[in-house]
Amino acid sequence: MVVTFDDENKNAKLSLRVFEILNELQKEEEAAMQNRELIGTSWKPEFGRYMLEGTPGFPYGGTLKDILQVEPNMKFRRQLAAKYMKPNEVPITIASFPRLGCQGQFLEPHYEPRGEASRSLFVPDEVINPHARFPTLAANIRKRRGSKVAINMPIFHDIKTPKPFIDPTIPKDRNLFPEDKEAAEGAALPDHIYMDAMVFGMGCCCLQITFQACNIEEARRLYDQLANMGPIMLALTAAAPIYRGYLADVDCRWNVIAGSVDDRTKEERGLEPLKNDRFVINKSRYDSIDCYISTDKTLKPEYNDLDLCIRHVLLLGIDELLARHVAHLFIRDPLVIFKELVDQNDDSDHFENIQSTNWQTMRFKPPPPNSNIGWRVEFRSMEIQITDFENAAFAVFIVLLTRVILSYGLNFYIPISKVDENMMIAHKRDAVLNEKFWFRKNLFENEGNNGINGESLNTDGSCEEHHTNTQPPNGDTSTSIEDEYEQMSINEIINGNGDKFPGLITLIFRYLDSVNIDIESRCKLGKYLEFVSKKAGGKLQTTARWIREFVRSHPKYQQDSVVTQEINYDLMKMIDKVQKGEENAPELLGGFGTNS
Amino acid sequence: MKLFDNTTSNRVIIYTENLMRVTNIKSFKRIGNKNNQEANTFKILYKRPSCTFDKVNKVLELPDPFKFNQKLTEDRDDYEVTAKLFYLPPSSTSIIESSTPPSQFITQSVYHLFKLLGINTIDTFIIYFNGFMFDGSNEISNKFNKTSNMKNNRDDDLNNHGKSDIDNLLEAWKELETLHKKNMIYKLGVSEFTKNQLENFIKAVEVPPKIDQINFDCCAIPKEIIEFAKKNNIELLSHNDSTDILPSTTFQKIIDDANTNKVRLNKDLSPRWVLKYSVMIPDRGVINNKGYIVMASTTNSDPKFTYTIDEIEKNGF
């Protein structure tokens, strides 16, 4: 996000100038492409007009040295973005802007909330990226749903927060749009922070990683195995404890986004009997995945224990599991269609349309037609952190974890309904410290160890299909599904639990011990892993906790959950300084990242 | 399977399975402070009792390397094969001179790795001479004092002179150079050498090491060795191998397990070397295969045996 500081009035606002900044950045990118130069970084518009999405110009290679390019590339992106900014503007990587939708001025330039597309009580349409797709998305979601989206996040009850908490900043008497009365009529829940527009969710920022797989089997395997890491990493990277100027009782953005694009009608949500709509759909189109899709023998049918509603789609040449996955994506209506692109036969546009408006914790990405790009898997749950070191550390952790998963053939399977439970648990305040998550006890129960007979594709990490000599079953397949998993804390999952569970960090270190790695790289990777380990162990605060502490210890804070303009200004200033290395944040960073 | 009396075999080669496939939670059990992987590793192999006698080289192999398929399946170019040979400390009953690492161990270990994986080249071969330990200094002599098994005290004195340390290794290194010149090994490496040891070593050998593998705090390596390595095109790699790669208790367990599985072995066997190997697919960062090979022989076995390179070339695999 780009934040602009009004030092005179002690106000930190979101800068809508990003639209122009993006233009400049994309011009540079195009010029480089014309000159056939390798572009270091690439820029895309996102839903919020104040947002920039930066990606590496080309994919990182697969070696350990390449992984170390992540942090320099992120730093480079930040520098590049800052190049086109005014002196009082800064690029800041935070998951949610605390005062989006507050009374007063939170946008630069300021606009009143009177937009037709969102019809929001709190935010103007000008906060949305003007490219046709985005406001249309917002409006169509509202129209299909039959009301504005209604996001309610529990408020954090501090000592002086009223109980029940009824938000005084909701304009109850406005009569500009028919939807204005929804808040008073029950859409705004007591003891909650009420948000009524897509931007509250889609205007949040996150850290996403896309992996290249060597073939479709590997892609499906990674998709499944990383699924339960979604909630774990969400809890570890939690960074969004403030919405509309109030401290919330949640630390993560995920449910906010889920609510912000929830286009299900009342019938689909099960609130009214089915008349016009075909079925009850359990989740918003933005949520965690509903089914596993791998062809590995370790995927027992009991793991896919969520009721999938599927539209009957005729899909030729793929197996039932994958067909169901796609059919489940297609239960959603398209949200935006460009008239000129409606009729087509060979392009994958329609698939992409539905695929890209199903936002889930994992995304399975088939190769686009007519390209060299292969099967990919996207890991999407992590919240963005304040500094490049932290973001790189989490990225590196996940990348190394995938290498370990593929090298050892690890098995992370638990019933997918439990993964959903984990997503709920991950949102809780300080989940890293206080909560336990469902996790598989024995990650090594794969075909080799479990004695599961039969064809096993690629259990040796190779890409060719071949038959391996597996041992005959040793009769040990009788443990019930419930015995396979139990509740573990984030600390146990990441750092281990004595002899019972090795911990993911231990596995990664074991992997690093088994490869040829130079000492410099080993030192750097070691630092990233140590950082993640400390976060998991509670020795370093999550970003959410750090932000919370900053607010609550601010001299002007009234212990009433209110994040005033001044507190927000000081918070944004602090974040900017910490990112630049001008201020220390020992509870957050512990001295990591200051040398790079 | 029938009882196979192998007590007459006085040289034995033991292979583990692919550890990437049989690692389990127990491999991470810690005993004291140390990671117990190696011990558990060797335990694993005896789920599949079998053995075969290599008539050419007169060595017993446990299990038969062709019985469980570990041959690499894709293009050889897709893989990176790394091997590290550990010369084990001589036992008190050994007649092998403690100061001179037998050079024929090298070709022998290469032969068996080739056989196991179905290859005829190794990308990186690192040699670890028992007793070396990088201690963060640039010293010429950095051997840690593990003299409990050393028979000859006079050799100890010699060993503490910098030059003699290296001298003893030169014969072994010559064997590596021969294999390198035959394009069987691409990169040669040493382990736990200090900067001064590297300096002396480079002057004394024909084909210099491209790698020095060190077990030390990666963020605290002295800059002298870093600069020296850069200047001389030597990669400083990190590792976490124990210097006591095959404790005697573990070896005893191997013998006992073998006996339990009806492969009776000579009681007089002592382990001589351990080869740690790994196969990686570097483009994807995936480890495909990892394991150990152990050679053990009796005191009355011929200490000067040879595996000729011609045999490897002839036998193919």
Side-chain angles (χ1 to χ4, degrees):
Chain A
M1 311 186 181
V2 180
V3 169
T4 166
F5 289 111
D6 175 0
D7 296 321
E8 201 183 311
N9 293 311
K10 293 213 167 176
N11 195 2
K13 297 180 270 187
L14 288 169
S15 169
L16 300 180
R17 246 180 37 84
V18 170
F19 191 58
E20 286 110 63
I21 297 174
L22 189 57
N23 244 343
E24 296 300 312
L25 290 170
Q26 289 183 320
K27 266 199 253 168
E28 249 196 55
E29 210 181 308
E30 267 178 52
M33 276 172 62
Q34 302 279 13
N35 296 336
R36 293 171 177 271
E37 282 165 22
L38 273 180
I39 1 169
T41 128
S42 179
W43 303 93
K44 311 262 176 329
E46 253 299 338
F47 186 83
R49 193 164 169 174
Y50 51 86
M51 290 165 78
L52 283 170
E53 178 180 316
T55 62
F58 48 90
Y60 301 104
T63 66
L64 292 176
K65 273 205 139 69
D66 293 320
I67 295 178
L68 290 173
Q69 291 309 305
V70 170
E71 192 181 342
N73 191 288
M74 289 179 170
K75 285 193 147 70
F76 177 61
R77 285 179 232 171
R78 209 183 276 269
Q79 276 171 5
L80 200 57
K83 205 164 79 167
Y84 294 102
M85 293 184 192
K86 299 203 178 128
N88 62 342
E89 287 173 340
V90 289
I92 288 206
T93 43
I94 42 170
S96 80
F97 186 72
R99 283 185 60 85
L100 178 67
C102 288
Q103 288 178 329
Q105 306 218 350
F106 56 87
L107 289 177
E108 178 56 46
H110 173 75
Y111 294 94
E112 285 293 312
R114 313 173 73 82
E116 169 62 46
S118 320
R119 301 192 172 182
S120 164
L121 295 170
F122 310 111
V123 289
D125 275 355
E126 282 82 358
V127 82
I128 309 177
N129 189 306
H131 182 284
R133 171 184 156 87
F134 298 107
T136 314
L137 256 177
N140 285 353
I141 285 175
R142 180 173 48 71
K143 288 182 197 163
R144 187 186 188 281
R145 180 187 167 91
S147 66
K148 287 187 294 184
V149 293
I151 312 161
N152 281 286
M153 286 294 123
I155 191 152
F156 170 67
H157 276 107
D158 209 336
I159 303 175
K160 297 214 181 106
T161 315
K163 242 192 174 123
F165 169 77
I166 311 288
D167 189 352
T169 64
I170 302 180
K172 291 265 163 71
D173 298 321
R174 196 175 86 165
N175 210 350
L176 195 56
F177 300 109
E179 289 87 351
D180 288 352
K181 55 179 169 26
E182 283 171 13
E185 284 180 355
L189 299 175
D191 290 324
H192 283 76
I193 306 165
Y194 169 67
M195 292 167 269
D196 67 353
M198 186 169 163
V199 73
F200 286 108
M202 284 306 189
C204 289
C205 293
C206 62
L207 179 65
Q208 293 171 333
I209 309 189
T210 302
F211 296 97
Q212 178 78 58
C214 67
N215 58 23
I216 187 175
E217 273 78 32
E218 187 175 277
R220 291 166 81 164
R221 175 175 307 130
L222 274 181
Y223 180 93
D224 282 6
Q225 299 312 324
L226 286 175
N228 196 19
M229 289 310 294
I232 308 300
M233 298 311 291
L234 181 61
L236 210 42
T237 56
I242 307 176
Y243 301 96
R244 272 196 58 241
Y246 292 112
L247 280 176
D249 206 20
V250 295
D251 277 353
C252 310
R253 83 208 184 280
W254 189 269
N255 282 341
V256 175
I257 314 184
S260 76
V261 293
D262 192 356
D263 65 339
R264 293 175 295 162
T265 62
K266 275 213 167 100
E267 291 174 25
E268 288 169 333
R269 280 177 275 147
L271 298 174
E272 280 173 9
L274 287 175
K275 241 191 327 177
N276 304 316
D277 293 314
R278 202 185 294 198
F279 25 52
V280 172
I281 308 176
N282 293 325
K283 286 181 179 166
S284 157
R285 60 200 296 156
Y286 183 102
D287 214 318
S288 44
I289 63 165
D290 286 323
C291 63
Y292 293 116
I293 60 175
S294 170
T295 47
D296 290 338
K297 290 280 183 301
T298 45
L299 172 53
K300 301 183 190 171
E302 291 90 330
Y303 298 139
N304 272 332
D305 64 343
L306 281 184
D307 257 326
L308 268 196
C309 63
I310 56 180
R311 198 164 252 169
H312 290 282
V313 175
L314 185 61
L315 284 161
L316 299 168
I318 68 176
D319 56 83
E320 187 185 330
L321 256 183
L322 200 52
R324 280 163 58 87
H325 165 81
V326 175
H328 183 57
L329 294 178
F330 272 75
I331 60 173
R332 311 286 178 180
D333 289 333
L335 287 174
V336 179
I337 295 237
F338 292 95
K339 227 199 277 192
E340 316 80 62
L341 298 174
V342 171
D343 292 312
Q344 36 170 281
N345 268 326
D346 347 319
D347 221 315
S348 61
D349 246 31
H350 289 325
F351 174 76
E352 272 311 312
N353 188 320
I354 299 291
Q355 163 95 314
S356 68
T357 51
N358 266 281
W359 296 276
Q360 299 184 307
T361 38
M362 300 294 303
R363 186 177 272 161
F364 176 71
K365 297 168 88 151
N370 307 320
S371 85
N372 269 336
I373 302 174
W375 297 90
R376 294 145 300 147
V377 165
E378 191 180 1
F379 186 77
R380 298 167 49 89
S381 73
M382 295 195 281
E383 314 233 297
I384 196 90
Q385 311 293 287
I386 295 172
T387 65
D388 299 317
F389 173 86
E390 296 169 283
N391 288 319
F394 285 118
V396 164
F397 175 80
I398 284 289
V399 171
L400 289 178
L401 185 63
T402 57
R403 301 307 101 191
V404 171
I405 290 174
L406 293 175
S407 295
Y408 287 98
L410 295 183
N411 178 353
F412 281 72
Y413 280 122
I414 59 175
I416 197 139
S417 60
K418 293 288 179 241
V419 178
D420 272 3
E421 276 183 48
N422 282 348
M423 282 300 282
M424 288 300 124
I425 298 170
H427 279 76
K428 297 197 177 165
R429 205 163 28 93
D430 293 327
V432 166
L433 301 176
N434 304 328
E435 302 296 328
K436 290 201 180 227
F437 294 78
W438 298 109
F439 211 78
R440 192 181 179 91
K441 291 196 270 196
N442 184 359
L443 301 176
F444 290 95
E445 222 157 335
N446 56 23
E447 279 128 284
N449 279 332
N450 220 8
I452 300 174
N453 214 355
E455 262 179 56
S456 51
L457 291 174
N458 310 322
T459 52
D460 63 353
S462 74
C463 276
E464 253 180 41
E465 286 185 28
H466 63 275
H467 297 261
T468 54
N469 288 333
T470 51
Q471 300 175 353
N474 56 16
D476 191 20
T477 48
S478 55
T479 41
S480 72
I481 304 282
E482 287 79 41
D483 287 337
E484 291 176 351
Y485 59 92
E486 64 179 2
Q487 291 196 306
M488 299 185 205
S489 66
I490 298 282
N491 188 29
E492 287 172 285
I493 292 172
I494 304 288
N495 294 320
N497 181 11
D499 282 342
K500 230 174 98 179
F501 186 80
L504 300 180
I505 291 270
T506 308
L507 298 183
I508 294 179
F509 277 127
R510 177 67 64 85
Y511 165 84
L512 289 179
D513 287 342
S514 308
V515 302
N516 292 335
I517 179 170
D518 65 282
I519 45 164
E520 200 182 318
S521 303
R522 181 62 179 77
C523 172
K524 289 202 178 121
L525 289 177
K527 290 220 146 62
Y528 289 139
L529 294 172
E530 214 186 302
F531 169 79
V532 172
S533 171
K534 286 210 154 101
K535 278 264 176 176
K539 300 206 172 96
L540 292 176
Q541 294 176 340
T542 58
T543 304
R545 173 88 192 240
W546 183 81
I547 290 177
R548 231 180 250 286
E549 295 292 314
F550 182 91
V551 169
R552 296 185 74 206
S553 55
H554 192 281
K556 293 287 179 63
Y557 177 64
Q558 305 287 316
Q559 299 182 305
D560 57 352
S561 315
V562 175
V563 179
T564 62
Q565 182 177 295
E566 188 180 341
I567 299 177
N568 185 48
Y569 172 83
D570 286 338
L571 175 62
M572 292 299 120
K573 278 278 181 192
M574 179 64 166
I575 287 178
D576 184 42
K577 291 203 176 108
V578 167
Q579 187 281 121
K580 289 180 166 133
E582 292 167 14
E583 275 271 5
N584 269 334
E587 315 84 4
L588 178 71
L589 292 175
F592 285 101
T594 46
N595 294 328
S596 16
Chain B
M1 56 163 285
K2 60 175 184 181
L3 179 62
F4 200 165
D5 185 348
N6 298 296
T7 48
T8 50
S9 302
N10 54 20
R11 201 174 300 129
V12 175
I13 290 275
I14 300 160
Y15 301 95
T16 65
E17 287 205 58
N18 181 353
L19 298 183
M20 303 311 293
R21 296 302 120 213
V22 298
T23 303
N24 56 46
I25 295 247
K26 300 198 203 100
S27 318
F28 294 88
K29 272 209 164 88
R30 300 187 93 82
I31 289 192
N33 269 333
K34 274 178 57 177
N35 217 314
N36 206 29
Q37 184 188 14
E38 283 87 41
N40 286 320
T41 292
F42 291 105
K43 255 186 70 175
I44 289 165
L45 74 107
Y46 275 97
K47 284 194 180 155
R48 298 167 167 265
S50 77
C51 61
T52 186
F53 191 73
D54 180 335
K55 294 196 182 75
V56 173
N57 295 296
K58 302 209 179 14
V59 69
L60 181 74
E61 291 175 294
L62 257 70
D64 180 344
F66 294 136
K67 264 229 166 94
F68 54 107
N69 192 1
Q70 291 218 51
K71 299 212 171 144
L72 303 185
T73 51
E74 297 188 53
D75 264 359
R76 176 64 181 86
D77 285 336
D78 289 343
Y79 297 105
E80 187 182 299
V81 179
T82 303
K84 179 172 173 184
L85 181 65
F86 296 77
Y87 277 92
L88 296 178
S91 70
S92 51
T93 53
S94 168
I95 59 174
I96 299 172
E97 282 183 21
S98 55
S99 52
T100 312
S103 51
Q104 65 270 32
F105 285 178
I106 293 175
T107 306
Q108 183 183 35
S109 67
V110 168
Y111 172 92
H112 284 286
L113 186 61
F114 280 3
K115 193 171 177 183
L116 181 70
L117 299 179
I119 55 178
N120 55 18
T121 57
I122 293 175
D123 295 287
T124 299
F125 195 99
I126 296 171
I127 194 161
Y128 175 65
F129 298 107
N130 176 60
F132 277 67
M133 188 165 75
F134 185 84
D135 58 1
S137 74
N138 296 321
E139 294 308 299
I140 285 182
S141 174
N142 70 349
K143 291 179 92 159
F144 66 101
N145 215 0
K146 211 165 191 241
T147 53
S148 51
N149 286 328
M150 291 223 174
K151 190 178 74 156
N152 304 316
N153 282 326
R154 53 184 165 86
D155 281 356
D156 270 2
D157 290 338
L158 258 169
N159 286 339
N160 282 328
H161 283 175
K163 208 158 191 296
S164 304
D165 254 356
I166 303 300
D167 273 348
N168 293 334
L169 315 175
L170 292 181
E171 252 205 57
W173 192 259
K174 279 207 188 71
E175 181 118 343
L176 269 182
E177 287 174 341
T178 312
L179 294 174
H180 169 77
K181 287 187 210 157
K182 291 222 154 202
N183 291 324
M184 289 180 172
I185 303 179
Y186 183 53
K187 268 195 232 174
L188 305 179
V190 293
S191 186
E192 302 293 319
F193 272 35
T194 62
K195 171 204 164 250
N196 292 352
Q197 284 172 324
L198 277 177
E199 210 164 9
N200 290 349
F201 196 70
I202 292 179
K203 291 188 202 138
V205 300
E206 196 189 322
V207 180
K210 282 242 158 62
I211 286 170
D212 183 11
Q213 209 200 37
I214 302 176
N215 187 353
F216 198 74
D217 180 357
C218 286
C219 304
I221 303 266
K223 60 174 169 54
E224 291 89 356
I225 192 173
I226 296 182
E227 283 162 9
F228 181 82
K230 274 211 174 83
K231 246 190 353 188
N232 289 280
N233 248 327
I234 298 177
E235 274 182 274
L236 292 178
L237 298 185
S238 111
H239 79 94
N240 196 21
D241 299 323
S242 162
T243 41
D244 188 13
I245 192 85
L246 185 61
S248 52
T249 42
T250 308
F251 184 71
Q252 192 50 53
K253 195 111 200 351
I254 295 177
I255 305 295
D256 292 343
D257 280 351
N259 287 334
T260 316
N261 280 301
K262 300 188 182 14
V263 178
R264 266 204 284 154
L265 297 176
N266 192 315
K267 289 203 173 73
D268 191 30
L269 287 171
S270 272
R272 307 292 172 204
W273 55 254
V274 172
L275 187 77
K276 176 183 171 188
Y277 63 87
S278 68
V279 180
M280 178 138 156
I281 304 171
D283 288 339
R284 295 165 48 221
V286 175
I287 307 173
N288 173 284
N289 194 331
K290 182 179 152 187
Y292 295 83
I293 305 177
V294 178
M295 193 280 272
S297 60
T298 57
T299 43
N300 60 9
S301 71
D302 175 10
K304 302 258 186 251
F305 68 89
T306 48
Y307 273 52
T308 59
I309 296 171
D310 293 337
E311 291 297 337
I312 300 180
E313 289 181 320
K314 218 197 304 169
N315 287 341
F317 310 130

